[in-house]
Amino acid sequence: VYGPPADGRYQFPGETPPVYHASDANSNPNWLCLWSTLGNNCSPAPNPGAYNGTVGPGNAPQKYNLIANNIFIAYPTLSLAWAPVKYVSIGVSGQLVDATTTIAQASFDGASVEAQANGPHQTSDEVALWDTVANLSVQNSLGKVFTGILGVTVMPIDRLRIGASYRPGFDIQQSGTMTLDYSTLEQFAGAKIQGANTSQAKDNTSGTGPVNFDLHMPGAFKSGIDWSFGGGSDIELDFDYTQWSQLKQITVTPQFSVATQLPSPATTPVPQLMQTLDFQDTWALRLGGDYKIPIPGPVRLTARAGGSYESSVYNGNPSATIYPQLSFPNFQEIAGAVGLSAGIGPVDVVVGYTHVFEPAVQVRNAGTAMTQNVPAGSAAPPAVVVGNGNYATSYDVLAAGVRLHFL
């Protein structure tokens, strides 16, 4: 059982929509006219500062792209290897897929008020008061998703091994729940989730309903050439190719509606959410080696070092529209690693350190649109693009393990 080598968990600053209390309407006259005619009779015109005393963007500008996610994938695997002749080995693996996904992201509820009172969208409107936070929690049923790997290794001469494997792309269908932490605006409007298998918080600040989540995992080709110097030392060059272009979008299908009482009673089915990705295929080169340090006595000591480069999953053409995701910030990656193992008898202790660096990228051609919520029958608001910005990523990996030899 193993998982893919990936960073599946991110946590960025988030927010909690303030709780609306009926007494707020008595202390702040703006509440009384807010939804009566979508702000037309309010003086001054509604703006976020009229309700919570602040004007300006929220503390987390990335919230409309991602607040948090935790994607876990494990592959219970059964493998069979066969060497039909001395220098050729063939392997096949059958895999189950166990996947769990949790995501938190903000959506914007102020579009209707903006259209009638404030005009075009402004970053000063992006405050917690007008944001509904969606919390997705889904998983797939183990035994319903299968995949596999086919591999081959050849040894044309004793010290040279050449290997390659391929796993085709496959779909993961997950199901679970979506919890909406209503914006203060929606609390004031009496928001309530409706439908089968839904629930509403006792204080009416949130509601939960069923949801489906569809994700395609890309095909992956891996290959390598290994040269042995004898005595436990070797050098290896790997080439990997991942078919990320197969992943065009992520689809979220809520199976519930949201009912509101203001400005007039209405029930709005939550539409299917299509998150465009439009990734491109990536390739990677990795070079590394082991050197067995000759020392006297029973202790075995091996040093390791390597480096790698991986191309960007995003289109590098400055005129092309891209859809950067904070849950997948895979621009160009450069990595370096060192390691050491020490052993005596049947026991080895292994340590390793890796530093991964992504050169800074300025994105001014993002195409991802903010999710905006509007009442039933309202016109679609103008798209507000999120994802433009300056991206810089680096991280460090420290690994340690113990290995036991039985033969």
Side-chain angles (χ1 to χ4, degrees), residues 300 343-349 402-407:
R300 301 181 301 276
I344 185 169
V347 180
D348 285 338
V349 177
V402 176
R403 182 167 55 219
L404 299 178
H405 302 267
F406 296 100
L407 296 177

Side-chain angles (χ1 to χ4, degrees), residues 304-318:
R304 300 180 175 86
S308 68
Y309 170 82
E310 184 168 347
S311 65
S312 175
V313 77
Y314 299 107
N315 195 321
N317 185 343

Side-chain angles (χ1 to χ4, degrees), residues 59-309:
N59 294 327
Q62 90 306 319
K63 60 191 175 182
Y64 301 112
N65 190 302
L66 184 69
I67 293 175
N69 78 327
N70 188 1
I71 299 174
F72 173 83
I73 300 177
Y75 299 109
T77 302
L78 180 64
S79 299
L80 175 67
W82 177 48
V85 296
K86 182 178 180 181
Y87 297 112
V88 177
S89 300
I90 300 172
V92 62
S93 296
Q95 297 182 311
L96 298 175
V97 181
D98 180 25
T100 302
T101 303
T102 59
I103 299 174
Q105 186 184 77
S107 57
F108 185 68
D109 291 332
S112 296
V113 179
E114 283 182 334
Q116 299 295 330
N118 278 355
H121 178 81
Q122 304 177 64
T123 56
S124 59
D125 293 342
E126 296 173 2
V127 294
L129 197 85
W130 287 8
D131 289 342
T132 288
V133 177
N135 301 278
L136 182 77
S137 179
V138 294
Q139 62 183 14
N140 76 300
S141 299
L142 188 62
K144 290 191 175 182
V145 182
F146 300 88
T147 185
I149 302 173
L150 177 65
V152 61
T153 300
V154 297
M155 295 181 63
I157 58 178
D158 284 343
R159 292 191 174 187
L160 179 64
R161 292 187 301 163
I162 303 172
S165 70
Y166 180 72
R167 181 177 63 201
F170 60 94
D171 293 316
I172 302 178
Q173 291 87 32
Q174 300 179 77
S175 60
T177 61
M178 177 185 287
T179 298
L180 300 181
D181 294 331
Y182 306 130
S183 67
T184 316
L185 186 69
E186 288 298 291
Q187 294 174 48
F188 176 69
K192 184 177 181 180
I193 283 183
Q194 292 185 343
N197 302 314
T198 61
S199 62
Q200 182 87 351
K202 291 183 179 180
D203 61 359
N204 292 317
T205 59
S206 66
T208 301
V211 67
N212 292 331
F213 181 83
D214 297 325
L215 173 68
H216 182 84
M217 296 297 292
F221 171 80
K222 299 179 183 293
S223 63
I225 301 175
D226 181 272
W227 176 265
S228 173
F229 296 99
S233 300
D234 73 326
I235 187 170
E236 182 174 325
L237 176 66
D238 294 341
F239 173 79
D240 295 351
Y241 189 86
T242 306
Q243 296 172 296
W244 284 112
S245 61
Q246 296 178 353
L247 184 51
K248 297 297 185 182
Q249 62 190 21
I250 295 175
T251 304
V252 181
T253 309
Q255 298 176 327
F256 55 87
S257 301
V258 175
T260 53
Q261 299 304 310
L262 296 175
S264 60
T267 300
T268 306
V270 180
Q272 189 178 62
L273 305 175
M274 313 284 285
Q275 188 174 54
T276 300
L277 300 177
D278 199 24
F279 290 157
Q280 63 179 5
D281 293 348
T282 63
W283 60 270
L285 277 177
R286 300 184 174 95
L287 178 66
D290 301 276
Y291 176 66
K292 187 174 182 180
I293 302 173
I295 58 174
V299 177
R300 301 181 301 276
L301 195 62
T302 302
R304 300 180 175 86
S308 68
Y309 170 82

Side-chain angles (χ1 to χ4, degrees), residues 15-94:
E15 62 186 12
T16 301
V19 176
Y20 170 76
H21 300 284
S23 59
D24 295 342
N26 298 323
S27 61
N28 191 329
N30 284 281
W31 283 111
L32 298 177
C33 64
L34 174 62
W35 275 112
S36 59
T37 55
L38 290 178
N40 283 338
N41 293 336
C42 290
S43 180
N47 63 72
Y51 307 102
N52 66 356
T54 62
V55 175
N59 294 327
Q62 90 306 319
K63 60 191 175 182
Y64 301 112
N65 190 302
L66 184 69
I67 293 175
N69 78 327
N70 188 1
I71 299 174
F72 173 83
I73 300 177
Y75 299 109
T77 302
L78 180 64
S79 299
L80 175 67
W82 177 48
V85 296
K86 182 178 180 181
Y87 297 112
V88 177
S89 300
I90 300 172
V92 62
S93 296

